[in-house]
Structure formats: C-alpha cells, structure tokens
C-alpha cells in the first residue's frame, strides 16, 4: 500500500475481508451440499449411485476446466468484476438446482455452481495481494481458507435441519437469495486496489499463451508425482464427505437426515480444526514431503479399517469419520509443495495446473466410485459390502498415488529461503 494513500478505516478493512470470506463460504457450502441430502435426492428423483456420483462430481469438473479462463479474466478485468460475474452464475445454479425435476437438470445446476464458484478463492487472494503488505498475505490466506470451510460445516447439520423443516428445494432457494445478497454487498465493498494506488496493469495474455505456459510446466517431470498425489489426496476425502458417508449411514446404520447431519458436522468440524493444526506441520517436520506422506498413510489406514469392519458400532464409525476429517488438513500442504518447487516465473501456471488436478481428481473419483457401487449392487453384492469395497478402493488409490509421490524431491520454506 502506498505511503501517501489516504487512511483506510479498520471497519472498512474488516468489512472487505469479511465479505470475501462470506463469498468463499458459499463455494465451500455448494461443493459439499449434496452429501447430507444424497439419500433424499436418490429417493425423490430416483437417482442411481452412478448418477449421484456424476451429479456431485459435476461441480468439481466445471470448476476445474474454468481455472485457466478465470485466471485470464482476473488478470485482464480484475478480481471484483470477475467475481461479480461468477457469483451471479452461482446464484443461477442454486435456483436451477431448486427447480430441477430430473437427473440431467440437477447435474446442469451443479455445473453452473462449479462455474460460479471458480473465482471465489483466487479472486480474494488477488485483492489481498494488492491491499496488504506481503508479510500479511500468508495469514490472510489462512483466514480465508479456514473461515471458508465453515461453509462446508453449514452443508451438514444446518442443511439437514432446513431440509427437514422446509425441504431441500426450498433450502437451495434460500441459499440462492443469500448468495445474491452477498454479491450485492461485495459490489459495494470490494475494490481491486486501495485508495491512492494505481490500478494494476491488465494482462494481454491470450488463452493460447496461458495454455502454452501450462504446457511448459507440464514438461517438468517432477511435476507429475505431485500432480498425481494432489489429484487423489483431497479427492478421496471429498468422495467420502460430499458423497458416500451420508448414504452409508442411512443404508447401513439407519440414520435419519438429522442424525446424518450431526455425523457430517463432526467430520467437517474436524476438517476445520485440522486445517489449522496441519498448517504447523512443515515447521514441525522441517519438511513438506514427510507430513504429507504421514497424512496419506493415516487416511488410507482409516479407510482400510472401515473396509475391514463388518457392521461396526456407530460410535466407532463416527469417531473414524471425525479423525478422517482432522487428517484431511494435510492436503493443502501439497499446494505449498508446488509453490516451493516452481520457479517464480511459472508459479502461477504451476498452481493452476495443480488446482486443475485437484478438482478433476474429485470429479473422477466420485464418478468412478458411483459406477463401482452401482455395478456391485447390480451384481448381487450386499449393500454394506458394496460400501466396504468402495472404501477399500479409495485406500488403494491413496497408497498407489503415495508410491509415485515418494519419488519427488523434498523441500521446505526454510530450505528455499536458505538458497536465496
């Protein structure tokens, strides 16, 4: 911020950060929102497991494919305009979901949600970069992600409560209205630069040039072990949290909507806490690779235990899901690993590539696990056994990705600083 810039009130700064966090909460809510209501969608609209997997994953696929165009728009038009446009698409997605009458319409609505949420993290981070000193950027990024994850919490017990009270259609109409209100507030509050600072130069980079830079990153062989791990790490957790935990609790343990919401609330609450705790792991280990590998092994072990137990008691299942949520906090370390191994010239394109892998991995695992469960049930495999085989397959995916990731060179922020 310029030394000659007029003073900015603390209230305005808090309002700016607050509205950007609220908008990101919407993104986190929508990406997780099919989890607790999945059994209701299957019952009301006759969805099969394959359709449910595609429906949930559609958000992540559309989110992923929009990353490069969104990056160009952020550079060319600024974060405020880009976010206003994308949030408007998210509002349309909420209303489309509420009025959908079949699987195709629900999936199209999820695609709109993914497109609409595609700038809700990178946009605020660009604004923070312009508004605040460099030494505050990391803490603000952590605040943005941690508070945003509260949106995922709202997609558990609170969504179950409103669905029980009003219905899932009415709940999403309400979310659309709230999102529209946030968009209007953001239009009044958010600015790309603080008063007194010249607007940032707009990039003239074309889509072809952006893709060319990504191809340059992709030629680095060390990228692919990291890409593979980031495509499987969060995706395996999301397949559980946003898709299969609620149907499993309903089919195997007979939990109703409210009870499923409570279990998912504990699981997602564990994730929020885990995001804070795992943030210190690099300093504790003096490494990024070591805590990531530890986190992967623990997640795979929990999934293997769930797969091995025949109708385990509900208290144990709940405890395992909460620990799985706590452990999911290791996944942002993979992005930090990428930030440290890419040179400054290619850092943006490298992170974009990893984020693309992150989201497409979620889509792929949700679609594939949906197809797997559907095939198993049609083949006569018992309901619980179908879930257990699916949990085991997720554990194997994690371990296979870990074997490849183990070949990548280790690093840490201290080692990079020491190299200067």
């Amino acid at each position: 911020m310029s030394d000659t810039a007029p003073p900015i009130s603390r209230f305005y700064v808090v309002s700016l950060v607050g509205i950007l966090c609220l908008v990101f909460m919407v993104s986190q809510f929508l990406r997780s929102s099919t989890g607790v209501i999945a059994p209701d969608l299957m019952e009301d609209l006759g969805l099969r497991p394959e359709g449910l997997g595609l429906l949930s994953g559609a958000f992540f696929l559309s989110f992923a494919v929009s990353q490069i165009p969104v990056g160009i728009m952020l550079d060319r038009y600024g974060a405020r305009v880009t976010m206003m446009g994308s949030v408007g698409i998210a509002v349309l997605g909420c209303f489309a979901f509420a009025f959908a009458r079949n699987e195709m319409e629900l999936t199209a609505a999820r695609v709109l949600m993914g497109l609409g949420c595609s700038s809700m993290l990178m946009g605020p981070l660009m604004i923070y970069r312009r508004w605040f000193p460099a030494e505050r950027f990391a803490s603000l990024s952590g605040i943005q992600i941690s508070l945003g994850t509260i949106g995922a919490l709202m997609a558990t017990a609170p969504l179950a409560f409103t669905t029980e009270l009003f219905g899932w259609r009415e709940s999403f109409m309400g979310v659309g209205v709230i999102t529209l209100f946030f968009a209007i507030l953001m239009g009044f509050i958010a600015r790309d630069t603080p008063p007194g600072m010249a607007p940032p130069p707009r990039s003239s980079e074309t889509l072809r040039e952006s893709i060319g830079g990504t191809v340059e990153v992709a030629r680095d062989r060390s990228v692919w072990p990291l890409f593979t791990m980031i495509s499987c790490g969060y995706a395996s957790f999301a397949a559980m949290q946003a898709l299969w935990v609620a149907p499993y609790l309903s089919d195997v343990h007979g939990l109703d909507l409210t009870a499923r919401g409570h279990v998912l609330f504990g699981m997602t609450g564990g994730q929020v806490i885990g995001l804070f705790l795992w943030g210190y792991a690099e300093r504790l280990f003096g490494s990024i690779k070591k805590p990531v590998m530890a986190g992967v092994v623990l997640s795979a072990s929990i999934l293997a235990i769930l797969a091995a137990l025949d109708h385990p008691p509900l208290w144990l299942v709940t405890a395992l899901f909460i620990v799985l949520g706590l452990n999911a906090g290791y996944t942002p370390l993979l992005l930090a690993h990428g930030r440290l191994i890419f040179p400054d010239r290619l850092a943006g394109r490298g992170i974009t590539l990893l984020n693309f892998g992150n989201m497409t991995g979620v889509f792929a695992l949700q679609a594939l696990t949906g197809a797997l469960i559907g095939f198993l049930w049609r083949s006569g495999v018992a309901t619980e056994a179908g879930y257990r085989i699916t949990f085991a397959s997720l554990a194997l995916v994690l371990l296979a990705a870990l074997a490849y990731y183990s070949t990548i060179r280790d690093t840490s922020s201290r080692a990079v600083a020491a190299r200067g």
Side-chain angles (χ1 to χ4, degrees), residues 21-44:
C21 288
L22 286 172
V23 168
F24 185 52
M25 285 182 194
V26 172
S27 174
Q28 295 291 87
F29 173 89
L30 292 179
R31 72 171 59 182
S32 303
S33 57
T34 56
V36 73
I37 63 170
D40 301 82
L41 296 177
M42 295 177 76
E43 180 179 350
D44 292 351

Side-chain angles (χ1 to χ4, degrees), residues 49-73:
E50 300 94 321
L52 185 62
L54 288 171
L55 167 66
S56 182
F59 176 101
F60 298 94
L61 182 62
S62 62
F63 188 108
V65 299
S66 63
Q67 287 306 291
I68 292 177
V70 163
I72 293 173
M73 292 180 67

Side-chain angles (χ1 to χ4, degrees), residues 301-310 385 387-393 395:
S301 299
I302 294 169
L303 290 167
I305 292 170
L306 288 166
L309 296 176
D310 184 8
Y387 286 118
R388 291 168 62 189
I389 293 171
T390 300
F391 298 160
S393 70

Side-chain angles (χ1 to χ4, degrees), residues 57-234:
F59 176 101
F60 298 94
L61 182 62
S62 62
F63 188 108
V65 299
S66 63
Q67 287 306 291
I68 292 177
V70 163
I72 293 173
M73 292 180 67
L74 287 170
D75 286 337
R76 182 168 294 179
Y77 302 110
R80 178 177 177 271
V81 170
T82 302
M83 291 181 69
M84 290 288 291
S86 68
V87 173
I89 297 173
V91 172
L92 290 177
C94 292
F95 288 128
F97 196 88
F99 288 101
R101 299 297 169 182
N102 53 54
E103 179 183 323
M104 182 177 295
E105 292 178 4
L106 282 175
T107 303
R110 290 283 291 173
V111 168
L112 288 175
M113 291 177 187
L115 293 173
C117 294
S118 58
S119 69
M120 291 186 186
L121 176 60
M122 298 309 297
L125 295 185
M126 285 193 66
I127 290 176
Y128 294 154
R129 185 177 179 181
R130 292 283 175 178
W131 273 78
F132 299 99
E135 60 269 19
R136 296 184 62 186
F137 182 80
S139 60
L140 284 165
S141 301
I143 290 172
Q144 182 78 19
I145 294 172
S146 299
L147 291 182
T149 308
I150 294 174
L153 273 178
M154 300 302 293
T156 58
L159 178 58
F161 175 76
T162 60
T163 299
E164 190 89 8
L165 201 60
F166 304 110
W168 61 267
R169 295 184 185 277
E170 292 76 7
S171 297
F172 274 87
M173 289 181 66
V175 173
V177 171
I178 292 170
T179 305
L180 179 60
F181 176 68
F182 287 168
I184 294 171
L185 278 181
M186 184 175 66
F188 282 108
I189 296 173
R191 294 293 182 270
D192 289 324
T193 55
M197 175 180 283
R202 300 305 186 201
S203 171
S204 59
E205 187 177 62
T206 65
L207 177 60
R208 181 177 180 179
E209 290 167 338
S210 292
I211 294 174
T214 304
V215 170
E216 186 179 351
V217 171
R219 289 179 182 148
D220 184 347
R221 292 184 180 180
S222 66
V223 168
W224 293 107
L226 182 57
F227 182 91
T228 301
M229 190 69 257
I230 205 168
S231 298
C232 299
Y234 174 69

Side-chain angles (χ1 to χ4, degrees), residues 286-372:
S287 157
I288 285 186
K289 185 175 174 181
K290 290 176 182 177
V292 166
M293 294 181 71
V296 174
V297 169
L298 181 54
S299 287
S301 299
I302 294 169
L303 290 167
I305 292 170
L306 288 166
L309 296 176
D310 184 8
H311 205 94
L314 181 60
W315 69 265
L316 178 58
V317 168
T318 302
L320 289 171
F321 286 151
I322 291 173
V323 176
L324 189 65
L326 280 166
N327 192 57
Y330 81 85
T331 55
L333 291 173
L334 291 163
L335 284 175
H337 197 161
R339 177 178 56 82
L340 292 175
I341 68 171
F342 296 130
D344 289 343
R345 181 177 62 86
L346 297 175
R349 291 173 176 85
I351 295 300
T352 298
L353 178 64
L354 294 180
N355 202 30
F356 173 81
N358 194 26
M359 292 300 170
T360 52
V362 175
F363 167 76
L365 276 188
Q366 293 193 350
L368 290 172
T369 52
L372 175 62

Side-chain angles (χ1 to χ4, degrees), residues 248-311:
Y248 169 80
L249 292 171
S250 175
D251 293 341
V252 177
H253 292 277
L255 268 60
D256 62 14
L257 179 63
T258 301
R260 297 195 304 265
H262 290 155
V263 175
L264 279 168
F265 187 87
M267 183 180 187
T268 307
Q271 182 190 10
V272 174
I273 296 171
L275 286 168
F276 281 105
L277 297 179
W278 278 95
Y280 296 96
E282 182 197 349
R283 278 184 281 177
L284 180 64
F285 285 84
S287 157
I288 285 186
K289 185 175 174 181
K290 290 176 182 177
V292 166
M293 294 181 71
V296 174
V297 169
L298 181 54
S299 287
S301 299
I302 294 169
L303 290 167
I305 292 170
L306 288 166
L309 296 176
D310 184 8
H311 205 94

